[in-house]
């Protein structure tokens, strides 16, 4: 219906883009745990969520935005 699927592509792909695309697709085959990748994984899996959770726990219930008007205080205590 749309056509053009059986013809070879008329635009030649850049070899560097093809190599990069192949690397992205097959990244799981060549991944190795190194100290750098271990620390990055630890930071994103443990440190960042714990910091966000601590900040959320410390500020839970401190501000109430519902039903406030100009001049009202948003802090509860």
């Amino acid at each position: 219906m749309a056509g053009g699927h059986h013809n070879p592509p008329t635009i030649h792909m850049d070899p560097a883009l093809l190599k990069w695309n192949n690397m992205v697709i097959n990244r799981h085959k060549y991944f190795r745990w190194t100290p750098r990748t271990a620390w990055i994984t630890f930071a994103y899996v443990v440190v960042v969520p714990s910091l966000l959770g601590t900040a959320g726990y410390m500020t839970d219930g401190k501000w109430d935005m519902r039903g406030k008007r100009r001049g009202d205080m948003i802090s509860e205590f």
Side-chain angles (χ1 to χ4, degrees), residues 62-75:
K62 283 195 173 185
W63 297 291
D64 186 19
M65 300 289 187
R66 183 175 293 174
K68 298 295 181 182
R69 295 190 175 137
R70 186 180 301 172
D72 292 344
M73 296 291 293
I74 62 169
S75 62

Side-chain angles (χ1 to χ4, degrees), residues 8-40:
T10 57
I11 299 175
H12 295 288
M13 295 295 291
D14 184 10
L17 284 175
L18 291 174
K19 183 178 178 182
W20 179 78
N21 188 30
N22 192 28
M23 179 203 61
V24 168
I25 291 171
N26 295 319
R27 183 172 298 186
H28 66 282
K29 295 178 184 176
Y30 304 107
F31 178 79
R32 288 190 181 172
W33 284 105
T34 61
R36 182 177 184 266
T37 57
W39 278 110
I40 291 171

Side-chain angles (χ1 to χ4, degrees), residues 42-64:
F42 179 76
Y44 280 113
V45 171
V46 176
V47 175
V48 171
S50 64
L51 288 175
L52 290 174
T54 303
Y57 181 75
M58 298 294 280
T59 59
D60 185 34
K62 283 195 173 185
W63 297 291
D64 186 19

